[in-house]
Amino acid sequence: MYSIDPSWYCLRTHPKHETVAAAHLRQVPGVVVFHPQLPLMRWTSRGWMRRSESLFPNYLFARFMLETTLEKVRYTPAVKRILEFGGKAQAIPDPVIEELRRTMEAAVSEVFRDAPVVGEEVEIAKGPLEGLRGQVIWVRPGKERVKVLLDILGSPVPAELSLESVLYRKSEAATVVLNRVNPVPPMTPMFNWMGATQSVVA
């Protein structure tokens, strides 16, 4: 039996289509959309570039009346499915969304930089040390520098390099923020209030 009151639900979108899905959903009468995004600086071949990225890739939240609006939401362009447990769309309690909103409001005034983290293994992408791997000792995103401990002929050798010269795993927006403001952990069950064990970003 459907609830007669609007509730929040988690929607999975097609890959990298969160913004498109959010735009289409906002055109559906009676639907309120919450698409958490953060400004993030990423290093590219053209230098540091600022962009807005989804906190939860491929997911967003929408508030609507399930009984009257489910089919419209389900067939909205770029929406893949509604997150379900036991074959039923599971409503998200308002306090969960409000807490996430407060976390986002506290973080949105800052522009975060994506960079390798201390202890991460990186690979040298160019220069005389190209192809060597090492462990990050420290990172200075503001100066675009990183120090890596390399294993050369069995001996540990520290090397200070530019960020553009190393390859590292690009972080999702949520991971970058976790290193700074510790919001809702993205790789743990966000919806443990419903007794589920599945992470919404798995």
Side-chain angles (χ1 to χ4, degrees):
M1 183 176 181
Y2 292 137
S3 170
I4 61 173
D5 297 318
S7 298
W8 285 102
Y9 298 92
C10 181
L11 309 180
R12 183 177 178 89
T13 70
H14 291 285
K16 300 181 180 180
H17 278 63
E18 305 94 338
T19 301
V20 174
H24 283 292
L25 285 166
R26 290 189 176 100
Q27 303 303 312
V28 180
V31 175
V32 177
V33 178
F34 177 38
H35 176 206
Q37 291 180 291
L38 284 174
L40 183 64
M41 297 291 289
R42 286 199 185 278
W43 180 262
T44 70
S45 59
R46 294 178 293 173
W48 286 104
M49 301 291 290
R50 175 172 174 165
R51 57 194 298 179
S52 292
E53 297 198 7
S54 296
L55 189 66
F56 302 109
N58 307 329
Y59 289 91
L60 51 77
F61 306 95
R63 181 180 174 86
F64 55 91
M65 290 181 61
L66 200 65
E67 183 177 24
T68 59
T69 319
L70 175 60
E71 292 307 303
K72 293 179 182 179
V73 170
R74 180 173 285 164
Y75 293 106
T76 297
V79 173
K80 189 172 183 179
R81 63 183 177 86
I82 298 176
L83 196 67
E84 298 180 345
F85 291 93
K88 297 181 180 179
Q90 182 68 53
I92 303 171
D94 288 353
V96 174
I97 297 297
E98 291 307 312
E99 178 61 28
L100 184 54
R101 283 189 186 276
R102 285 193 291 269
T103 299
M104 295 300 297
E105 290 172 358
V108 75
S109 61
E110 183 174 357
V111 178
F112 297 88
R113 285 178 181 261
D114 183 23
V117 297
V118 174
E120 180 178 355
E121 184 181 68
V122 297
E123 179 179 339
I124 312 303
K126 58 185 179 181
L129 301 175
E130 181 177 355
L132 291 180
R133 292 178 175 272
Q135 190 175 62
V136 174
I137 301 174
W138 54 249
V139 184
R140 294 176 182 170
K143 295 184 177 180
E144 301 174 8
R145 305 294 292 177
V146 60
K147 194 168 188 176
V148 181
L149 188 63
L150 302 170
D151 184 357
I152 300 179
L153 299 177
S155 299
V157 178
E160 184 176 335
L161 308 160
S162 65
L163 274 176
E164 66 174 328
S165 67
V166 298
L167 298 175
Y168 59 95
R169 182 180 180 277
K170 299 295 183 181
S171 302
E172 294 178 350
T175 303
V176 176
V177 178
L178 274 171
N179 292 330
R180 301 289 297 278
V181 298
N182 194 32
V184 177
M187 298 308 292
T188 57
M190 178 182 171
F191 300 144
N192 54 12
W193 39 265
M194 66 172 69
T197 57
Q198 178 180 353
S199 168
V200 298
V201 293

